[in-house]
């Protein structure tokens, strides 16, 4: 053994004995989140082509138009879903790994020194307000259901609305189902709804709370899956509305 | 690495094993005879028997239940006794190093005593008084949650992989995933009356965990450490310290009565 050397210890940024493609996960995450970030920013600034027939893009819902205010209505509402996702326990994991490299992958040496403060100092200490975004997000699910149902009532030339179903109507329903599955798996909701209890049999509604907690836990187990599915569905729903609104395609009408 | 497959015949396999202590160390190469059904711990024992009688390793049950044989096998924190040699490609060299997060005593044996010091900080089980008939009662459905945490075998693989300990060496401020599991098992117990929330925030430093889930990925008992123990504890800390409405509510009504219906 050589004198006073520690050759047995892996040192240096990103050093690891792992032989699998540990960098693929963070790379795909960064690409996925990056692509969505770029697309949604462009669409939010566009301030156009967000409505067609009975369809309303989720980036613009609820639609708040303030006369005289020269700002895209998307910005009046996007803080809510953006804040919800940015402070979501799943997305935190995803971007801490993919963007902040804390850590890049498990048991792969970090690239940083010892300045790590986790979620104890600014700005990440603000992750602790996630439950407030959750309350708003639950409200938004109601609003998006309203939009999805409205998407079955097509306006006629005389101003009346007729029941019908287009591909867009289905897309909007699938989107709100996926968004609901994501939102109702929220870790903060899981706490508020029953996770905070220690003794379910000690209170009158404990049993009901326990059942609800189990329900939220089911979605919570699949939180990452629904986080990605709903992210794609929101983007695709907006894209479909944009395609119709700009006349690039004709909405496919079932009846 | 491939999932378990049928193994036939004996092959020879190149192993690289960490030798040394915390000051001086190197990787030593050994060629071993790999028989069907062998696990990494068997290979280490074979090296001890035939090639390096002074190779130090810790083990006990060889059944994945004592938590002694933790090591890093091809970069992954795992139990040596539960890692089958046949799961690696025939030509693949297998590298075995000790847990990186703890000081090496010799070869594959590390000093994990820091964990026992952390454990002492956690207020033990404090049950409420017995019922009039001299018994305690609780329902299976409400104890399921803490039973998951009781599966822990204290292998400390989660402590080893956690970047807060492994890369940032925050041992003076952070308890690590194993002790969030233990704190959660007590804190969520339907009979327990102690309040550990301030300790979870301050001495265990739950805020330093950034929920990146490496602990959950390595746990040989498949405990959902991050989602079921750490995040629920973080939420309890939020209610006590960060949620303005909850903080105000507790100011007015006082902390919930023990055992708590929740805060
Ligand atoms: S989830 Fe938290 S405790 Fe677990 S490894 Fe990551 S930082 Fe450490
Ligand atoms: S929680 Fe899992 S990984 Fe951590 S010490 Fe217990 S059994 Fe090992
Ligand atoms: S020897 Fe007991 S867990 Fe491996």
């Amino acid at each position: 053994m050589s004198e006073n050397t520690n050759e047995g210890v892996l040192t240096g940024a990103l050093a690891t004995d792992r032989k699998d493609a540990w960098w693929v996960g963070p790379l795909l995450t960064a690409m996925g989140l990056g692509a969505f970030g770029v697309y949604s920013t462009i669409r939010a600034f566009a301030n156009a082509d967000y409505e067609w027939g009975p369809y309303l893009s989720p980036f613009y819902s609820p639609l708040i138009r303030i006369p005289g205010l020269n700002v895209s209505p998307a910005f009046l509402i996007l803080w809510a879903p953006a804040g919800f996702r940015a402070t979501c326990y799943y997305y935190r994991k995803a971007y801490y790994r993919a963007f902040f490299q804390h850590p890049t992958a498990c048991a792969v040496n970090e690239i940083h020194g010892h300045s790590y403060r986790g979620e104890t100092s600014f700005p990440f200490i603000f992750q602790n307000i996630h439950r407030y975004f959750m309350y708003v997000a639950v409200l938004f699910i109601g609003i998006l259901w309203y939009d999805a149902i409205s998407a079955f009532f097509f306006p006629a030339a005389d101003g009346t609305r007729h029941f019908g179903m287009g591909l867009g109507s289905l897309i909007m329903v699938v989107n709100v189902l996926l968004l609901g599955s994501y939102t109702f798996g929220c870790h903060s909701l899981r706490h508020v709804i029953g996770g905070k209890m220690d003794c379910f049999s000690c209170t009158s509604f404990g049993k009901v709370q326990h059942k609800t907690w189990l329900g939220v836990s089911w979605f919570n187990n699949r939180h990452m899956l629904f986080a990605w599915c709903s992210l794609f569905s929101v983007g695709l729903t907006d894209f479909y509305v944009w395609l119709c609104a700009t006349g690039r395609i004709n909405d496919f009408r079932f009846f | 690495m491939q999932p378990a497959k049928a193994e036939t015949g004996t092959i020879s396999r190149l192993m690289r094993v960490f030798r040394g202590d915390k000051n001086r160390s190197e990787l030593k190469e050994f060629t071993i005879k790999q028989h069907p059904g062998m696990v990494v711990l068997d290979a280490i024992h074979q090296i001890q028997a035939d090639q390096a009688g002074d190779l130090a390793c810790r083990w006990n049950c060889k059944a994945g239940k004592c938590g002694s044989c933790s090591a890093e096998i091809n970069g992954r924190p795992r139990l040596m006794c539960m890692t089958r040699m046949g799961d690696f490609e025939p030509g693949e060299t297998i590298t075995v190093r000790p847990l990186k997060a703890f000081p090496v005593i010799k070869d594959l044996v590390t000093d994990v005593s820091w964990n026992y010091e952390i454990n002492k900080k956690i207020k033990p089980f404090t049950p409420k008084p017995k019922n009039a008939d001299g018994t305690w009662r609780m329902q299976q459905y409400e104890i399921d949650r803490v039973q998951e945490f009781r599966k822990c075998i204290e292998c400390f693989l989660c402590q080893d992989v956690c970047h807060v300990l492994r890369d940032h060496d925050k041992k003076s401020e952070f308890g690590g995933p194993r002790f969030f599991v233990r704190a959660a098992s007590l804190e969520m117990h339907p009979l327990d009356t102690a309040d550990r929330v301030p300790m979870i925030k301050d001495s265990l430093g739950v805020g330093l965990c950034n929920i990146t889930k490496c602990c959950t990925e390595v746990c040989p008992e498949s405990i959902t450490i991050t989602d079921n123990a750490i995040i629920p504890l973080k939420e309890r800390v939020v209610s006590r310290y960060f949620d303005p409405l909850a903080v105000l509510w507790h100011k007015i009504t006082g902390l919930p009565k023990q055992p708590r219906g929740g805060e």
Side-chain angles (χ1 to χ4, degrees), chain B residues 161-202:
Chain B
V161 82
C162 176
H163 70 128
V164 183
L165 299 169
R166 184 188 184 88
D167 293 287
H168 304 295
D169 199 25
K170 299 277 183 215
K171 292 203 181 72
S172 56
E173 301 169 67
F174 186 63
R178 175 353 182 194
F179 296 103
F180 294 124
V181 167
R182 174 154 149 78
S185 80
L186 295 165
E187 198 57 20
M188 297 175 189
H189 196 291
L191 297 181
D192 182 76
T193 58
D195 175 17
R196 299 175 189 78
V197 174
M199 184 268 315
I200 288 163
K201 173 175 173 278
D202 298 322

Side-chain angles (χ1 to χ4, degrees), chain A residues 1, chain B residues 19-20 30 47-49 51-57 106-108:
Chain A
M1 200 174 300
Chain B
R19 301 292 323 258
F30 300 95
I47 295 170
Q48 268 183 340
Q51 304 180 53
D54 63 342
L55 173 63
C57 78
K106 183 176 184 319
D107 305 332
L108 300 177

Side-chain angles (χ1 to χ4, degrees), chain A residues 1-11 16-20 88-90 92-94 96-97 102-103 105-110 112-120 125 127-132 135 187-192 194-203 206-207 209-210 213 220-221, chain B residues 16 18-27 72 74-77 92-95 97 100 128 138-139 141-142 145 161 163-164 166-170 173 187-190 192 205 207-214 217 224 227-228 231-232 234-236 238-239 242-246 259-263:
Chain A
M1 200 174 300
S2 34
E3 274 305 302
N4 285 322
T5 55
N6 240 332
E7 286 160 17
V9 180
L10 267 176
T11 49
T16 180
D17 287 334
R18 280 179 65 169
K19 293 178 179 171
D20 58 329
C88 159
Y89 285 96
Y90 166 67
R92 273 143 77 177
K93 172 205 166 191
Y96 286 142
R97 283 197 190 191
H102 269 317
C106 304
V108 172
N109 283 359
E110 279 209 7
H112 307 272
H114 287 323
S115 58
Y116 176 79
R117 293 305 315 157
E119 300 186 329
T120 61
I125 197 162
Q127 308 282 29
N128 287 311
I129 59 169
H130 182 55
R131 62 176 64 164
Y132 284 89
Y135 299 137
H187 291 82
S188 292
L189 180 65
R190 192 177 180 225
H191 170 82
V192 173
K196 62 185 179 182
M197 313 259 299
D198 296 337
C199 181
F200 289 100
S201 61
C202 297
T203 59
K207 197 122 201 190
Q209 266 182 293
H210 183 259
W213 176 78
N220 183 262
N221 266 330
Chain B
R16 298 192 305 159
F18 178 102
R19 301 292 323 258
D21 55 31
K22 64 176 191 286
N23 301 316
R24 287 188 310 161
S25 65
E26 63 183 343
L27 280 183
E72 301 193 1
N74 277 0
R76 290 192 175 265
E92 194 175 343
T93 303
I94 300 179
T95 306
R97 298 187 204 245
K100 187 174 181 226
K128 66 181 181 187
M138 53 190 172
Q139 305 297 320
Y141 77 84
E142 56 187 351
R145 184 165 53 152
V161 82
H163 70 128
V164 183
R166 184 188 184 88
D167 293 287
H168 304 295
D169 199 25
K170 299 277 183 215
E173 301 169 67
E187 198 57 20
M188 297 175 189
H189 196 291
D192 182 76
L208 283 171
C209 162
N210 67 349
I211 53 168
T212 34
K213 293 197 185 177
C214 292
E217 285 182 22
T224 320
D227 289 307
N228 288 350
I231 296 175
K234 276 186 175 253
E235 284 294 320
R236 288 172 183 225
V238 170
S239 291
F242 296 105
D243 175 344
L245 290 181
R260 292 188 304 285
E263 49 185 86

Side-chain angles (χ1 to χ4, degrees), chain A residues 121-186:
Chain A
S121 61
F122 181 82
F124 297 120
I125 197 162
F126 281 100
Q127 308 282 29
N128 287 311
I129 59 169
H130 182 55
R131 62 176 64 164
Y132 284 89
F133 283 113
M134 179 270 291
Y135 299 137
V136 182
V138 170
L139 211 73
F140 268 55
I141 295 300
I143 295 169
L144 290 168
W145 265 115
Y146 174 85
D147 292 343
I149 294 166
S150 306
F152 288 85
F153 295 90
F154 288 80
D158 59 2
T160 57
R161 286 183 174 259
H162 297 280
F163 184 69
M165 187 168 83
L167 184 55
S169 326
L170 290 184
I171 290 178
M172 294 204 34
V173 168
V174 170
N175 180 43
V176 71
L177 282 174
L178 289 172
L179 282 170
S181 304
Y182 167 61
T183 307
F184 291 112
C186 165

